[in-house]
Amino acid sequence: CQALPVQTLHPKHPQAMVATGAGGSSTPSGGVPSMSELMDMLHGPHAYTQSFWEDLQAFVHAIDWLNDRWLFAIFAVEALIWLIVILNRRQWERISAVFGLNTVVLFFAERINSVAGAHWKSFSTQDYFDKSGAFVGVVLGVPLLLCQLLIVCFLLREAGSMVIKVKRAELRQSLAEKKKAEKKDE
């Protein structure tokens, strides 16, 4: 039997409510959990299973991989997007376009979830699309958000290299102007 979380006052911040559960960890609402609390979340007891890894295994085993081939199409499109981003990492215009496309898909993820939930019988063997959107969040949202993060890293790297190129050109130009000024003075 697992204890339900209880709302209590935090000793250092009496105005902040804290959820304490069976693990005994407490984090002020809105606060950032410590590394030990994160590890407890991953390895400690959960609502239905004993750890994050069991949750992950339960998620994987709940999917009918043989009959729901449309999932492989989603994964293939996501892999193609990742490949496009990686191969075009130095063309900021292209990866910016992919960033925009990903943003549109992520913006409409809730709507995609509700439409798929209404019509799941036409393409799936079971209804994966609950109101909270957990399945769409994991299958569609997480890979695209990680891709967005990668694109931001590539764009920041490209912006940094552009700044370096501009500064080098400015230095060369100022050195050339100094040499011209020295020749005129002679």
Side-chain angles (χ1 to χ4, degrees):
C1 181
Q2 211 171 16
L4 294 173
V6 178
Q7 295 288 333
T8 59
L9 292 175
H10 191 275
K12 292 182 183 175
H13 307 285
Q15 71 277 11
M17 295 297 285
V18 178
T20 57
S25 65
S26 62
T27 303
S29 60
V32 177
S34 69
M35 190 58 123
S36 64
E37 290 172 335
L38 288 174
M39 294 309 288
D40 286 345
M41 287 180 204
L42 290 176
H43 298 292
H46 290 200
Y48 301 107
T49 60
Q50 294 300 313
S51 69
F52 169 78
W53 306 113
E54 286 185 21
D55 287 345
L56 184 64
Q57 287 176 338
F59 182 82
V60 169
H61 290 296
I63 297 171
D64 186 4
W65 296 104
L66 293 175
N67 296 318
D68 289 335
R69 300 280 181 183
W70 58 272
L71 289 168
F72 294 110
I74 290 176
F75 294 142
V77 168
E78 290 171 347
L80 179 66
I81 290 170
W82 276 79
L83 188 64
I84 290 169
V85 168
I86 291 169
L87 293 177
N88 292 295
R89 65 185 172 273
R90 289 193 170 80
Q91 283 85 27
W92 68 268
E93 299 92 347
R94 292 179 186 172
I95 61 173
S96 295
V98 173
F99 188 88
L101 177 71
N102 283 355
T103 302
V104 169
V105 171
L106 289 168
F107 181 78
F108 288 109
E110 185 177 353
R111 182 155 304 183
I112 292 168
N113 184 60
S114 63
V115 169
H119 303 287
W120 66 271
K121 289 181 182 179
S122 63
F123 62 91
S124 183
T125 59
Q126 52 186 321
D127 186 7
Y128 298 110
F129 309 100
D130 60 344
K131 292 202 185 271
S132 67
F135 183 77
V136 169
V138 170
V139 172
L140 187 68
V142 170
L144 290 182
L145 283 173
L146 291 174
C147 185
Q148 297 290 74
L149 179 63
L150 182 67
I151 291 171
V152 167
C153 292
F154 285 153
L155 289 174
L156 286 173
R157 183 174 158 225
E158 192 64 27
S161 68
M162 284 183 193
V163 168
I164 290 170
K165 287 177 186 176
V166 168
K167 288 297 179 183
R168 284 182 181 163
E170 286 177 0
L171 285 173
R172 285 187 194 117
Q173 184 179 3
S174 68
L175 285 175
E177 288 174 1
K178 283 183 184 179
K179 285 183 181 180
K180 269 187 175 179
E182 287 175 6
K183 284 185 182 180
K184 285 184 180 180
D185 290 339
E186 291 176 2

